[in-house]
Amino acid sequence: MMQREFAGEASVTKAVIPAAGWGTRFFPITKAQPKEMVPVVDRPVVQYVVEEAVASGCDDILIITGRNKRAIEDHFDISAELNEHLRNSGDLKLLAESERLSSLANIHFIRQKEQRGLGDAVLCARQHVGDEPFAVLLGDVICVPMPGERPCTGQLIDVFRRYGAPVIGVETVPDHKISDYGIIDGTLIEDRVYQILDIVEKPLLSETPSNVGAMGRYVLTQEIFEILGRTKPGKKGEVQLTDALRKYPEMYGFMPKNTRYDIGDIPGWVVSNLQLLMQDERYRNLIMKVFSPSNIIS
Ligand code: UTP
């Protein structure tokens, strides 16, 4: 198969983070600021995503942005005035954190001129990525690995290196969510690994090939760009990444050992905050107190 050349190869070092979407489900929060900058516990969503890419071995990161997304660039830039202020006021802990943030990785930005869909956003990475395999991490999804496990993208990269073909991160999808996901038709070939025969964007529950769907992390190869270039707009009039993926001659699905938090809409964001606050020893007691029966007025 054409991708076999990648099997066993040195790690994937490039990551692409699409973050150019409208974020209409977050309106009015997203009228003047990006959805990817909404805070979850103590950081904007996109910082979790960049940190996952870096911890997975990707030191070259391309964030796909658009109009109203300047805050993402500023977030990872050096803030000379702030650093000067922190130095002068002796807040060395915060200074170190500010410096860490601006030197996390080589972060590049490119604008998707029109929001023509996730597939079109990935296509914007063509020139930057060149002919190397690369990871794609959706900018509104947080993945927290199970204790002792590699970050989600790192787990996918390990599978990519074993099989030498593109890998899609997948998870079990409840019935009422099937029509929100790209759903795979595949065969389980080893623990957590599926050989994918097909993938369908947002199928009806009555027509779905399975209950296993894409969860926002991918490791892809350069062939996707040529395929995306000839992929016509599909569901919602957008160029769907799923429609391009199904044309890969060989690909795998992998169910990572992690918990995924979907920050794509307000309920997902609220629940993610609560769940992550409960896992954070700084805030757990506070949350328990707020939700203790004596504080809940029914
Ligand atoms: P979504 O499907 O959540 O779309 O995108 P959206 O436009 O951001 O949000 P809604 O539906 O209007 O509320 C999934 C990921 O793909 C990116 C988004 O920024 C998000 O990280 N995306 C989507 C793009 O980069 N470009 C697009 O044209 C569409």
Side-chain angles (χ1 to χ4, degrees), residues 236-257:
K236 286 166 71 185
E238 297 182 343
V239 179
Q240 299 290 348
L241 180 60
T242 307
D243 292 341
L245 289 172
R246 67 195 310 196
K247 298 191 187 112
Y248 261 127
E250 181 187 5
M251 87 186 137
Y252 296 87
F254 176 65
M255 205 170 269
K257 293 179 182 168

Side-chain angles (χ1 to χ4, degrees), residues 20-239:
W22 287 108
T24 49
R25 285 168 292 164
F26 262 90
F27 190 85
I29 294 171
T30 46
K31 184 157 184 290
Q33 65 163 340
K35 166 174 74 172
E36 294 76 11
M37 285 298 291
V38 295
V40 174
V41 184
D42 59 356
R43 276 164 282 172
V45 181
V46 69
Q47 186 178 331
Y48 288 87
V49 181
V50 167
E51 286 174 338
E52 177 191 327
V54 172
S56 301
C58 301
D59 58 3
D60 180 331
I61 294 171
L62 179 68
I63 304 183
I64 316 293
T65 67
R67 281 180 291 283
N68 283 343
K69 302 278 183 171
R70 274 286 302 279
I72 300 178
E73 297 184 35
D74 292 342
H75 187 71
F76 294 105
D77 198 3
I78 292 175
S79 179
E81 298 86 355
L82 174 65
N83 289 356
E84 182 66 14
H85 165 71
L86 294 173
R87 203 171 287 112
N88 291 340
S89 59
D91 197 339
L92 300 184
K93 198 164 164 234
L94 217 51
L95 176 64
E97 180 55 17
S98 168
E99 288 175 340
R100 184 189 75 86
L101 194 49
S102 53
S103 57
L104 271 176
N106 288 321
I107 304 183
H108 309 267
F109 300 91
I110 189 165
R111 280 192 175 199
Q112 183 187 19
K113 302 257 171 354
E114 285 176 73
Q115 280 101 327
R116 296 182 60 235
L118 176 59
D120 180 68
V122 172
L123 186 54
C124 294
R126 185 176 203 159
Q127 207 168 1
H128 185 90
V129 165
D131 58 6
E132 288 181 45
F134 63 104
V136 174
L137 298 84
L138 297 195
D140 57 356
V141 168
I142 294 175
C143 293
V144 177
M146 288 179 189
E149 297 296 334
R150 293 241 285 148
C152 178
T153 296
Q155 295 180 42
L156 261 65
I157 291 172
D158 290 343
V159 178
F160 173 79
R161 292 177 67 197
R162 270 196 291 132
Y163 284 89
V167 181
I168 301 177
V170 294
E171 66 182 20
T172 306
V173 181
D175 283 358
H176 69 282
K177 289 264 188 182
I178 290 276
S179 55
D180 293 341
Y181 282 68
I183 302 288
I184 67 161
D185 180 5
T187 314
L188 191 65
I189 53 170
E190 64 165 284
D191 184 32
R192 295 177 180 272
V193 180
Y194 295 82
Q195 178 144 32
I196 296 181
L197 308 171
D198 198 4
I199 176 164
V200 189
E201 180 68 12
K202 300 185 172 64
L204 294 172
L205 180 57
S206 55
E207 291 167 5
T208 190
S210 76
N211 64 343
V212 179
M215 43 68 76
R217 298 290 186 261
Y218 311 79
V219 178
L220 305 177
T221 55
Q222 66 180 98
E223 286 82 16
I224 197 69
F225 297 123
E226 193 269 320
I227 302 172
L228 279 168
R230 54 185 162 84
T231 299
K232 303 260 176 311
K235 291 243 161 92
K236 286 166 71 185
E238 297 182 343
V239 179

